[in-house]
Amino acid sequence: MGRDVIVACDFSSADAVFSFLDRFGDVKPFVKIGMELYYAEGPAIVRELKRRGHRIFLDLKLHDIPNTVKKAMAVLSRLDVDMVNLHAGGAVPMMQAALEGLTREDGTRPILLAVTQLTSTDQETMERNLLIEKPMKDVVLHYAENAKKAGCDGVVCSPLEAGSVHEHLGQEFLTVTPGVRFRDGEIGDQKRVMTPADAKIAGSDYIVVGRPITAAPDPVAAYERCVREFV
Ligand code: C5P
């Protein structure tokens, strides 16, 4: 798969997502479904979006004991999603178990990504709350290294970290990056942002874009602008 734009469908109901995506007509963007929508609508929303022809990143960030994660991943894999994720904080045995669970009988499986440290966790929170005293950059790279060791395909990270992740872990190790804003757009609650064009230069493989598209007066034009700048 090459570079692509993933639209974060952060809506609270199936109806809201459908009326948003209906605006795109025959264009079928790669979409991200997060916890809110999945917990509200269940697996039916995934099946329906698949039926409509979308590729799906199911962003549920699993984190539990290896056996539980393995079984949960097997269920998600049967939904035929294209991309799933977990917390690298669950450690290598959990990530390996996830891969086992994800792998279908015919050997295929969704792309598995690891979340290193959440972007809502800063250095101070990490030190005081989690008692992790190393610099954030080292922690992120170490967790990414663990993810690669376990067999994950890549990480979710800031576009600002994409270059160093590729440098240390190779060009094939995927970087999927939220925190994308147009140069002339609103930043909102995101702190460290990049434009789609700069994320491309930084080496992101996929950008995850929510409000710059979902809240735009013309979401289809905003999506097409992202694709033009990034792909
Ligand atoms: O609206 P916005 O473009 O900020 O949406 C970004 C999406 O990426 C949201 O679904 C958000 O939850 C997700 N995300 C993020 N930062 C992370 C991980 C996920 O913004 N580190």
Side-chain angles (χ1 to χ4, degrees), residues 125-144:
T125 311
M126 208 171 61
E127 286 177 16
R128 294 206 179 167
N129 236 287
L130 307 177
L131 298 184
I132 299 172
E133 285 171 356
K134 300 260 198 240
M136 178 63 81
K137 188 172 165 284
D138 297 357
V139 175
V140 167
L141 274 178
H142 179 67
Y143 280 31

Side-chain angles (χ1 to χ4, degrees), residues 8-10 32 34 57 59 61 85 115 117-120 156-158 176-181 187-190 208-214:
C9 289
D10 293 323
K32 180 172 89 70
F57 171 17
D59 177 19
K61 301 188 181 70
N85 61 358
V115 175
Q117 282 290 342
L118 292 169
T119 42
S120 51
V156 181
C157 64
S158 156
V176 177
T177 64
V180 172
R181 292 294 180 265
I187 289 184
D189 55 357
Q190 294 281 14
V208 175
V209 188
R211 287 160 292 179
I213 294 173
T214 56

Side-chain angles (χ1 to χ4, degrees), residues 22-58:
D22 283 347
R23 304 176 71 147
F24 288 77
D26 289 338
V27 177
K28 302 288 177 185
F30 200 143
V31 296
K32 180 172 89 70
I33 299 177
M35 287 186 204
E36 184 187 11
L37 187 60
Y38 189 76
Y39 291 150
E41 300 289 349
I45 183 73
V46 175
R47 292 195 189 98
E48 176 58 18
L49 291 176
K50 267 267 128 180
R51 197 191 62 75
R52 291 177 178 222
H54 295 275
R55 280 172 297 152
I56 297 177
F57 171 17
L58 193 52

Side-chain angles (χ1 to χ4, degrees), residues 53-82:
H54 295 275
R55 280 172 297 152
I56 297 177
F57 171 17
L58 193 52
D59 177 19
L60 299 180
K61 301 188 181 70
L62 276 67
H63 190 171
D64 207 317
I65 59 171
N67 186 53
T68 302
V69 169
K70 179 178 167 179
K71 289 180 168 175
M73 284 297 192
V75 175
L76 299 183
S77 190
R78 287 199 289 275
L79 284 175
D80 198 24
V81 293
D82 299 276

